[in-house]
């Protein structure tokens, strides 16, 4: 696996003589795409009133995903490519552990959480494209290996699935409670998908 990881890294990474136009694009995605994703989430919170409870849960899960990712990276302490001398770092970055990529974990979790919700799927496609572009960019600028990005996507997917499962369980019990009481609170629940 390490040979494949290194081969993919050298294929994607800018190397010592990057193409300046591509480097500018990669730096932009590596540094700013996560903020753009956060802006899309904030805009959805503002504009999609019927989805607010779900979107607040997505934001909270994004925070938990970040903490879990940082914890794993600290525990594993895998050196970044620029620390190993495999590539210059074309953005300023700490020499902290690189596996998994927190950017990939959080951005993919948010994107998949949107994709799992019928009323948010169009935004989910945009968010997933941003997550993929950011993963490429962070390899290109020398701060991550491909396996770091893949591990981040796996972690993000697991967290999005856990969130979806939690909502299904909540909705199931809310529906049962509504039927047992003779009321229909589940039909008016903010947790119900649109």
């Amino acid at each position: 696996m390490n040979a494949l990881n290194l081969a993919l890294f050298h294929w994607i990474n800018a190397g010592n003589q990057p193409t300046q136009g591509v480097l500018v694009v990669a730096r932009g995605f590596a540094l700013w795409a996560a903020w753009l994703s956060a802006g899309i989430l904030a805009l959805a919170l503002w504009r999609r009133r019927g989805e607010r409870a779900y979107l607040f849960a997505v934001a909270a899960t994004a925070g938990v995903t970040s903490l879990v990712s940082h914890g794993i990276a600290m525990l594993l302490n895998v050196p970044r490519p620029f620390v190993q001398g495999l590539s210059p770092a074309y953005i300023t970055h700490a020499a902290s552990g690189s596996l998994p990529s927190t950017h990939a974990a959080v951005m993919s979790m948010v994107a998949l959480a949107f994709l799992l919700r019928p009323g948010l799927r169009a935004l989910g496609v945009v968010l997933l494209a941003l997550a993929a572009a950011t993963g490429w960019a962070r390899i290109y600028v020398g701060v991550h290996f491909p396996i770091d990005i893949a591990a981040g996507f796996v972690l993000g997917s697991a967290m999005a699935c856990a969130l979806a499962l939690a909502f299904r369980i909540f909705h199931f019990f809310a529906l049962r409670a509504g039927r047992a009481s003779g009321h229909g609170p589940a039909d008016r629940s903010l947790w119900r998908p649109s």
Side-chain angles (χ1 to χ4, degrees):
M1 178 56 113
N2 196 39
L4 177 61
N5 185 40
L6 285 173
L8 286 171
F9 172 77
H10 289 301
W11 181 61
I12 298 168
N13 180 255
N16 290 320
Q17 297 179 339
T19 305
Q20 286 306 309
V22 177
L23 183 59
V24 168
V25 171
R27 280 180 174 158
F29 276 110
L31 294 170
W32 301 107
W35 290 105
L36 182 55
S37 292
I40 291 170
L41 175 58
L43 183 63
L45 270 164
W46 177 54
R47 300 285 308 247
R48 307 284 177 104
R49 289 191 173 114
E51 298 283 4
R52 279 194 181 149
Y54 180 77
L55 290 168
F56 275 119
V58 170
T61 305
V64 172
T65 302
S66 178
L67 292 173
V68 170
S69 181
H70 280 296
I72 294 169
M74 285 176 58
L75 184 68
L76 297 177
N77 200 26
V78 175
R80 294 179 182 272
F82 70 88
V83 173
Q84 295 183 36
L86 296 172
S87 168
Y90 291 103
I91 60 172
T92 302
H93 203 289
S96 57
S98 69
L99 178 69
S101 163
T102 300
H103 277 78
V106 173
M107 291 177 75
S108 65
M109 188 287 302
V110 172
L112 292 172
F114 273 60
L115 287 169
L116 290 171
R117 198 77 166 182
L120 299 171
R121 284 194 181 130
L123 289 173
V125 171
V126 173
L127 289 166
L128 190 59
L130 278 173
T134 303
W136 160 79
R138 293 185 72 80
I139 297 167
Y140 190 83
V141 300
V143 297
H144 277 295
F145 288 105
I147 198 160
D148 303 340
I149 304 302
F153 272 90
V154 169
L155 175 58
S157 299
M159 296 298 284
C161 289
L163 177 64
L165 181 62
F167 268 84
R168 288 200 181 270
I169 291 169
F170 176 84
H171 184 65
F172 172 78
F173 284 111
L175 185 62
R176 286 187 82 189
R179 285 184 184 153
S181 67
H183 297 93
D187 293 334
R188 297 185 304 273
S189 174
L190 292 175
W191 303 95
R192 191 168 183 206
S194 60

